[in-house]
Amino acid sequence: MLTLEWESEGLQTVGIVVIIFASLKLLHLLGLIDFSEDTVEDEMEMATVRHRPEALELLEAQSKFTKKELQILYRGFKNECPSGVVNEETFKEIYSQFFPQGDSTNYAHFLFNAFDTDHNGSVSFEDFVMGLSILLRGTVQEKLNWAFNLYDINKDGYITKEEMLDIMKAIYDMMGKCTYPVLKEDAPRQHVETFFQKMDKNKDGVVTIDEFIESCQKDENIMRSMQLFENVI
């Protein structure tokens, strides 16, 4: 069982930690956390996938990974995704393996949309790397911007109660059965109300990115969660 202090830790910490945690699950499945010392430079040159990544030098400049780390990431990505791209069904399969006691379908959908920055229905190696670069090594501002984008489902620049409720239900569906004590059915809605009471500064019924970032930066639990996985790779 996974014990979470849902009431004391707060909605925001739960959501942000789950974002990072779920992304690490994806890394683990791709075999990217348990690195070997084998050379992969030849594999980068000889890879025969339909979607070739951008030049390593460009990705290295755009992300916070070294060339060696990018080579390792690409090897794992290529091995698990020979086509060079990941679709939404693959995301769902990945998370269903790691959360077998819950239903991760909706959360995988929302997370996929956050990684699919150009909204073309697939996540390329470049999309994957840039998302991980932010989640694992980005500044607090970058991580919070990424989290806001996840919660802002329709990408209109605001988080509504309906959007936050959809995300929270997805998180609870995925993890709720693995927690102790068992979460109450109305817990997602209660946490959404707590979220808005804290973050909706002008009480207009929506949370802007400025309100979101300001509130998160004042929360010690959230700031601590931002630093949990900075040295994974």
Side-chain angles (χ1 to χ4, degrees), residues 11-221:
L11 167 70
Q12 309 93 305
T13 301
V14 172
I16 292 171
V17 168
V18 169
I19 293 169
I20 300 173
F21 175 71
S23 300
L24 291 177
K25 290 296 187 183
L26 182 59
L27 276 174
H28 178 74
L29 184 75
L30 293 176
L32 303 179
I33 291 179
D34 182 19
F35 292 150
S36 69
E37 296 299 322
D38 297 336
T39 180
V40 293
E41 294 183 3
D42 291 341
E43 293 186 45
M44 287 296 298
E45 299 299 327
M46 300 174 62
T48 55
V49 294
R50 290 196 295 274
H51 179 89
R52 291 299 300 271
E54 298 177 37
L56 277 183
E57 291 76 12
L58 179 58
L59 271 181
E60 185 179 357
Q62 292 176 336
S63 72
K64 299 179 188 296
F65 295 122
T66 66
K67 180 179 179 180
K68 177 67 174 180
E69 289 169 336
L70 288 170
Q71 289 172 336
I72 295 170
L73 286 169
Y74 183 62
R75 179 176 62 183
F77 191 90
K78 183 195 69 173
N79 287 341
E80 295 297 329
C81 313
S83 67
V85 296
V86 180
N87 59 30
E88 184 172 335
E89 289 306 310
T90 302
F91 261 62
K92 292 178 179 178
E93 291 173 7
I94 288 170
Y95 290 114
S96 68
Q97 292 180 44
F98 286 102
F99 299 96
Q101 301 304 314
D103 182 355
S104 59
T105 302
N106 288 332
Y107 187 78
H109 167 73
F110 294 132
L111 195 65
F112 176 83
N113 285 341
F115 271 97
D116 181 16
T117 54
D118 55 6
H119 309 296
N120 66 353
S122 64
V123 172
S124 67
F125 178 67
E126 291 83 358
D127 295 332
F128 182 66
V129 164
M130 296 310 297
L132 288 179
S133 177
I134 292 172
L135 287 172
L136 298 180
R137 294 186 178 169
T139 65
V140 168
Q141 180 89 16
E142 289 171 334
K143 291 177 182 178
L144 292 177
N145 278 329
W146 201 95
F148 183 89
N149 179 62
L150 173 74
Y151 297 142
D152 179 17
I153 296 174
N154 67 0
K155 313 306 178 192
D156 66 352
Y158 302 95
I159 300 175
T160 65
K161 287 187 177 181
E162 291 75 15
E163 287 174 321
M164 180 54 63
L165 183 59
D166 286 343
I167 295 290
M168 286 311 300
K169 283 181 176 178
I171 292 172
Y172 281 30
D173 286 345
M174 181 172 65
M175 299 185 68
K177 295 179 182 179
C178 299
T179 63
Y180 181 84
V182 177
L183 298 170
K184 297 179 181 179
E185 187 173 342
D186 63 345
R189 189 173 297 278
Q190 290 177 358
H191 281 303
V192 170
E193 292 300 325
T194 301
F195 176 92
F196 272 81
Q197 288 174 15
K198 183 174 183 178
M199 294 199 171
D200 184 11
K201 303 295 185 181
N202 61 2
K203 308 303 179 186
D204 63 351
V206 296
V207 172
T208 65
I209 188 158
D210 290 336
E211 290 174 323
F212 180 82
I213 290 176
E214 180 184 353
S215 297
C216 288
Q217 288 179 332
K218 293 179 179 178
D219 190 304
E220 292 183 2
N221 291 319

